[in-house]
Amino acid sequence: MAKRIVIISLLTCFIVDASGFAFSKQTPVVYCKSDQENGNCQSDVPIYVNRLDSAESALPYNYDKFDFCRIQDYEFPVENFGQFMLGERIRPSPYKAIFLEEKKCRVVCKKSYEKGKQDEQKLQFIRNAILKNYQQHLIVDKMPIPWCYATETGSNFCSQGFPVGCYVTKDGRKNGACVISAKFQDPDTYYVFNHVDIVITYQSGEGEEWGSKIGITGGRIVGARLTPKSIKHQAEFGSDPCSSDDVMGVKDRLDDNLDIVYSYSISFEESNSTKWLSRWDYISYELSNAKIQWFSTMNSFIIVVFLGGMLALVLLRTLRRCGAQVISMDDPESIPKHFRWMLVHEDVFRAPRCGMLLSVFLGSGAHVGIVAFLTLLLACLGHITPANPGSLATYPMVLFVCLGTPAGYVSSHFYKMFGGKRWIENALLTSLLCPGIVFALCSILNVVLWIHDSSGAIPFMTWATFPIPWLLVTTPLVFLGAHLGFKCCAFEQTMRTGGTPREIPKQRCVTRPVIGLLIGGILPFGSIIIQLFFTLRSIWSHQMYSTFEFPMLVFVLLVITCAEITIMLCYFHLLAEDYRWVWRSFLTSGFTAFYVFAYCVHYFNKLAITGAASIVIYFGVSVIMAFVFFLFTGTVGFLSCWWFVGKIFSAVKYTTAAPVTDPVPEQVAVDEEGTYDRDEERQGMLSDK
């Protein structure tokens, strides 16, 4: 079974990667001066704006939602599927750049606000964005333009965006970016960052092979940075309208007419030390945390290996001694304590309750695990990078749609092992139940985003088309896998199942189900807690993630840890003569999801997220994340325990005393094959009495 699943998964991964839907390598763009522009280069350096987001709110907004300078009658840039799903809305910016042309304090537009309800609403929306520290995002040559500044510790920190502004409270306390300048000091004042200084770094083509081919003095953009400023421009635009030292402050109430002028400056710097292929290194923020991740991952790895070695030593020694002798079942009291698990040999393979539901969970868990593994594998191979925006959302969705066959195969195979006969119903539930739960939760979150007019909301008609590939592609593949799995031979049981279930002795405290669940989830959670922190920070703090070697390593550690802890607890429960391992093995490691959700609640307290809508979105995403963890870790725990139980009971040799046979009475009729009816014998014995 495992070989078939691996072959199907790798084949699907190869098809997805080679079909053209996988992102192609980004082609470098060569820029040149306007008087040298030809078919090999271009002089226009387009700058785009993206959605505005905040670490204090889960509601992103489109750039056009704000009363900023914008271009009329423009063409929308094409966004890929992943960018659209992540709520990115890329639009042309009002900032115009020509290669190697310096621009100093170019005025873009002026926004005037008069005392009135409509203008007050526009201005209030900007005030709210400043209070929640919303960030603007500029893009040049498909790269974000970061804002880098020195922190209080002296280190240099780069943010992917720059704030709309900052606020000084009524008691004079500076919030957000107001701490960078002493000019922001008026209480109860909103300061708008209405000017940006953009510096674009390029690699010259001189001495480069690609430069000699085009025959001009051009360059490739290898980086950019900006500095936001708040400037109260002079009333009359002279040669330098940005020469004023006053800052653009907005009071909480509009008592008089207000004008906000937006401007920008652009300059170019040559840097041949940075190559085009490595231009993303300076903006990969997690590189600064690589030492922390390595230290934490290695610490978890050492703990897991140490505990796994101890468990393996204990279990292997016990099972080896068990396989070296023959066990007699006639006198159970004579069996040593470390062999008491053999007493449940007639019940250990008994079909569980709700076998249909368990098999559906197993199929969905296998589906999630394979998709996660292949996504991380493609990421480690370089197919999911910041240079391919949206790929982190696109690849899992495509793989999920195309990998329905392993889900149906695993689900129907175990459903048949549990004695089920309705494989069509099993396949239907496998394709609809768990994905339907996730789709329903996502629909609720999408409605919340839609009510608040967020850019993360997907239009209703577009959202209604999402189930089409799920129903027309995934569901038939699930039925195909279910047909193959149900047709395949079921797992051959080592022992026969007895007619009457064995009575389970009273369990001690340590072998009770609740204690096992609490213990079974804590160790797998401990192996992923650091990576979970970086993942949550990347999601809710809107930081870029490009180093996927750490998640891949943690993924492997999680699988090993779930298998170890589940096998250990399964062995201890069998020693206590409790044969109900099937559901318990799934729930033991699946309880990791409880700790994951609890950590999400703990992490929420570290964030400054406010607002009912943002709270609903945060916990809705946390529930979906925990549910996916539950399916995956539970499936890993069940498969490892299923393999373990089959191995240990197949290695045991049982003997029973030869039954004492009475001579065949004369009044009992013997058939042609020399056998007789035991019921007739018993009736004769009763009549004699």
Side-chain angles (χ1 to χ4, degrees):
M1 180 179 70
K3 293 182 179 180
R4 297 184 180 182
I5 294 176
V6 171
I7 293 174
I8 294 174
S9 303
L10 293 179
L11 180 62
T12 304
C13 181
F14 174 77
I15 294 175
V16 170
D17 186 49
S19 62
F21 194 94
F23 297 97
S24 60
K25 298 293 184 180
Q26 184 180 356
T27 304
V29 179
V30 179
Y31 297 93
C32 59
K33 294 182 179 181
S34 57
D35 56 351
Q36 296 178 335
E37 188 174 8
N38 54 39
N40 296 324
C41 66
Q42 66 182 50
S43 61
D44 184 24
V45 182
I47 300 177
Y48 298 95
V49 293
N50 203 344
R51 64 176 183 180
L52 280 77
D53 51 36
S54 171
E56 301 179 14
S57 175
L59 300 173
Y61 287 102
N62 195 343
Y63 179 84
D64 295 337
K65 182 73 174 177
F66 297 84
D67 191 28
F68 296 148
C69 302
R70 62 175 66 96
I71 301 177
Q72 302 295 334
D73 300 329
Y74 57 84
E75 295 183 0
F76 289 83
V78 178
E79 298 151 350
N80 58 47
F81 179 73
Q83 289 177 295
F84 182 76
M85 288 296 299
L86 294 175
E88 296 186 11
R89 303 294 182 264
I90 301 176
R91 304 289 184 266
S93 74
Y95 310 122
K96 301 299 181 181
I98 304 298
F99 188 68
L100 296 183
E101 287 189 10
E102 305 286 334
K103 294 185 178 181
K104 184 177 181 181
C105 196
R106 296 292 181 91
V107 175
V108 180
C109 69
K110 180 177 71 172
K111 294 292 182 179
S112 299
Y113 302 93
E114 300 178 356
K115 295 183 62 176
K117 185 177 181 180
Q118 185 175 4
D119 286 352
E120 181 65 29
Q121 289 179 350
K122 295 179 181 179
L123 197 58
Q124 185 59 38
F125 197 77
I126 296 178
R127 293 193 192 103
N128 294 335
I130 293 175
L131 283 177
K132 292 185 176 294
N133 196 26
Y134 269 84
Q135 306 281 313
Q136 299 188 57
H137 299 274
L138 300 183
I139 301 173
V140 59
D141 199 37
K142 298 185 178 181
M143 293 186 63
I145 305 179
W147 173 38
C148 299
Y149 57 93
T151 62
E152 296 178 355
T153 59
S155 60
N156 193 37
F157 179 78
C158 292
S159 173
Q160 290 189 47
F162 65 96
V164 176
C166 63
Y167 175 65
V168 178
T169 61
K170 294 180 180 181
D171 57 357
R173 183 169 52 89
K174 297 181 179 182
N175 290 338
C178 282
V179 298
I180 65 176
S181 176
K183 296 180 180 180
F184 307 126
Q185 57 184 359
D186 294 341
D188 195 20
T189 304
Y190 301 83
Y191 293 97
V192 180
F193 290 149
N194 56 339
H195 177 87
V196 288
D197 289 331
I198 302 175
V199 180
I200 300 177
T201 306
Y202 67 96
Q203 176 192 3
S204 174
E206 296 181 1
E208 298 288 341
E209 182 180 356
W210 58 269
S212 60
K213 290 182 179 180
I214 60 177
I216 59 172
T217 303
R220 293 176 176 177
I221 294 179
V222 294
R225 65 183 184 274
L226 62 80
T227 302
K229 294 181 180 179
S230 178
I231 301 176
K232 189 174 183 179
H233 296 76
Q234 298 177 0
E236 297 296 334
F237 301 145
S239 58
D240 188 6
C242 300
S243 59
S244 174
D245 293 333
D246 296 334
V247 291
M248 189 66 239
V250 179
K251 292 297 182 180
D252 190 42
R253 299 181 62 179
L254 189 60
D255 297 329
D256 197 1
N257 295 342
L258 177 68
D259 293 333
I260 300 179
V261 178
Y262 292 89
S263 60
Y264 70 102
S265 299
I266 295 180
S267 60
F268 291 83
E269 289 182 356
E270 181 179 348
S271 176
N272 293 325
S273 59
T274 303
K275 302 301 181 181
W276 187 85
L277 293 176
S278 60
R279 63 178 187 162
W280 285 92
D281 292 348
Y282 80 105
I283 204 170
S284 298
Y285 305 117
E286 72 276 5
L287 293 178
S288 60
N289 300 314
K291 294 183 179 180
I292 299 176
Q293 295 201 52
W294 270 118
F295 177 78
S296 302
T297 304
M298 292 304 299
N299 185 40
S300 301
F301 179 75
I302 292 173
I303 294 175
V304 169
V305 171
F306 178 73
L307 293 178
M310 293 185 62
L311 292 176
L313 181 63
V314 173
L315 296 180
L316 288 177
R317 289 183 60 184
T318 302
L319 298 178
R320 184 177 300 176
R321 292 167 56 188
C322 150
Q325 54 183 326
V326 179
I327 305 300
S328 176
M329 293 288 105
D330 294 321
D331 188 9
E333 299 298 330
S334 63
I335 299 178
K337 291 184 178 181
H338 50 274
F339 290 152
R340 302 291 295 179
W341 53 269
M342 301 179 184
L343 297 176
V344 298
H345 65 282
E346 292 186 351
D347 299 281
V348 72
F349 295 108
R350 193 176 299 278
R353 296 180 180 179
C354 302
M356 173 75 78
L357 180 61
L358 178 59
S359 62
V360 169
F361 282 170
L362 293 174
S364 299
H367 197 176
V368 170
I370 295 173
V371 169
F373 174 76
L374 293 181
T375 301
L376 291 174
L377 179 62
L378 291 173
C380 293
L381 294 176
H383 294 276
I384 300 178
T385 62
N388 295 325
S391 57
L392 186 58
T394 304
Y395 271 106
M397 293 184 182
V398 175
L399 289 172
F400 178 84
V401 171
C402 299
L403 285 172
T405 304
Y409 188 92
V410 172
S411 179
S412 65
H413 186 80
F414 284 103
Y415 178 65
K416 182 179 181 181
M417 190 186 78
F418 297 152
K421 303 295 183 182
R422 300 171 296 176
W423 72 273
I424 297 180
E425 181 180 348
N426 173 261
L428 190 63
L429 287 175
T430 302
S431 61
L432 299 180
L433 180 60
C434 294
I437 293 175
V438 175
F439 182 77
L441 293 175
C442 292
S443 299
I444 295 174
L445 300 182
N446 190 61
V447 170
V448 174
L449 294 171
W450 178 74
I451 292 175
H452 290 80
D453 197 19
S454 171
S455 66
I458 299 175
F460 176 77
M461 294 304 299
T462 305
W463 184 259
T465 60
F466 281 177
I468 293 179
W470 170 27
L471 297 176
L472 298 184
V473 179
T474 308
T475 301
L477 291 176
V478 170
F479 272 85
L480 175 62
H483 174 72
L484 297 175
F486 201 81
K487 185 179 179 181
C488 181
C489 297
F491 172 67
E492 296 182 0
Q493 299 177 359
T494 306
M495 303 294 174
R496 290 186 177 182
T497 302
T500 304
R502 179 185 177 86
E503 182 179 358
I504 300 175
K506 184 178 180 180
Q507 300 295 304
R508 295 180 298 174
C509 179
V510 294
T511 57
R512 291 179 180 178
V514 176
I515 303 299
L517 294 179
L518 294 175
I519 298 175
I522 190 65
L523 190 58
F525 172 74
S527 64
I528 65 171
I529 183 172
I530 301 298
Q531 197 59 46
L532 182 61
F533 166 77
F534 284 107
T535 302
L536 292 177
R537 192 182 69 169
S538 176
I539 294 174
W540 301 112
S541 297
H542 310 287
Q543 294 188 6
M544 193 171 297
Y545 208 106
S546 61
T547 305
F548 291 92
E549 290 78 7
F550 295 109
M552 188 65 175
L553 181 59
V554 170
F555 180 86
V556 176
L557 289 176
L558 177 63
V559 172
I560 297 175
T561 309
C562 288
E564 289 176 349
I565 194 66
T566 308
I567 290 175
M568 181 191 70
L569 293 177
C570 178
Y571 177 70
F572 288 154
H573 284 104
L574 292 177
L575 282 180
E577 302 180 34
D578 189 351
Y579 53 84
R580 298 169 300 182
W581 65 272
V582 180
W583 266 107
R584 186 172 294 171
S585 63
F586 185 89
L587 297 176
T588 295
S589 57
F591 203 73
T592 307
F594 171 80
Y595 291 101
V596 170
F597 183 77
Y599 185 81
C600 290
V601 175
H602 167 73
Y603 189 81
F604 177 79
N605 296 325
K606 296 182 177 181
L607 300 175
I609 292 180
T610 57
S614 297
I615 294 175
V616 170
I617 292 174
Y618 179 88
F619 284 101
V621 173
S622 300
V623 169
I624 295 174
M625 185 185 303
F627 182 65
V628 172
F629 260 92
F630 171 73
L631 295 175
F632 170 64
T633 55
T635 301
V636 172
F638 172 84
L639 293 177
S640 58
C641 195
W642 167 67
W643 171 84
F644 170 74
V645 171
K647 286 294 182 180
I648 63 174
F649 281 94
S650 63
V652 179
K653 299 178 182 179
Y654 296 91
T655 62
T656 56
V660 179
T661 57
D662 297 329
V664 180
E666 295 180 357
Q667 65 270 24
V668 178
V670 180
D671 58 13
E672 296 178 355
E673 296 180 357
T675 61
Y676 59 94
D677 192 346
R678 181 65 64 182
D679 294 335
E680 295 182 2
E681 176 187 2
R682 292 175 180 173
Q683 293 177 2
M685 294 174 65
L686 292 175
S687 62
D688 293 340
K689 292 183 179 181

